[in-house]
Structures are given as structure tokens and as C-alpha cells.
Amino acid sequence: MRLDKFLKVSRLIKRRTLAKEVADQGRITVNGKVSKASSVIKVGDELGIRFGQKVVTTRIEMLKETVKKEESIMMYTILKEERLEKVEPEFIDDED
């Protein structure tokens, strides 16, 4: 199954076009490698998805073309959620 379709069907990302945009921005990894929306995924793969300042790591448990909303959470297991630390810009001291 394509990565963008899985993200939509599993409801990790609500729309397939949005899933494609996020993948094209390099914010999704499959098994540690940055992946495109067209990447083929399989059961057991680990996805890392960056949502703003948060990274969610999930494992794919099931692949289905269509599922009900209640069943969509069975398609993956959340392994961890971590916040990225904000990088504070360094101030340049122009007083010389």
C-alpha cells in the first residue's frame, strides 16, 4: 500500500493530499529513512511522522483499503511520542 493512502485510511492524517504534502516536505520516515508519498509500506514497518514540534513513531499492524473510523486505530500501534526542543536563535551582539 502507498504511504499516503495508509496515512489517510488509518486516519493518522485526515486527507491524502495533506499526507502527500507532509511526505514531500521530508517529515515522514519509514524504518528510519525519509520517504515519499508513493513509498510502498508493509506490516511491521515503523513510521516516524513530524507534526510541528512533535514526532510520533508508530508501527503498522494491518493494511486495509477501507476501514470504519472505529477500526482505523487497529491499523497501527503508537510506539512513542516525543516533543522536539525548540532551537532558540542565537543573538548576535553588535556592540563593538
Side-chain angles (χ1 to χ4, degrees):
M1 177 181 284
R2 284 175 55 113
L3 175 59
D4 57 344
K5 182 163 186 176
F6 173 80
L7 293 170
K8 177 202 176 280
V9 173
S10 67
R11 292 172 173 79
L12 282 166
I13 296 181
K14 301 292 185 212
R15 294 186 316 257
R16 191 167 178 178
T17 53
L18 183 58
K20 182 181 180 330
E21 288 174 18
V22 171
D24 290 345
Q25 293 170 0
R27 293 171 36 197
I28 300 177
T29 60
V30 176
N31 298 324
K33 296 180 183 175
V34 175
S35 300
K36 296 182 179 181
S38 60
S39 298
V40 177
I41 57 166
K42 60 189 181 312
V43 173
D45 285 348
E46 286 190 13
L47 302 181
I49 308 166
R50 185 165 50 90
F51 296 102
Q53 295 298 315
K54 181 171 71 169
V55 176
V56 177
T57 304
T58 65
R59 182 178 50 242
I60 299 172
E61 302 293 346
M62 171 182 17
L63 296 175
K64 282 192 169 185
E65 294 294 317
T66 58
V67 293
K68 294 180 181 175
K69 185 177 182 179
E70 302 80 34
E71 297 172 344
S72 66
I73 61 170
M74 293 188 297
M75 294 183 71
Y76 60 91
T77 300
I78 295 179
L79 301 175
K80 64 181 172 180
E81 291 184 38
E82 53 192 344
R83 288 195 63 78
L84 298 175
E85 291 186 28
K86 290 185 180 181
V87 177
E88 296 293 329
E90 292 187 30
F91 294 101
I92 299 173
D93 188 14
D94 287 338
E95 297 176 23
D96 284 331

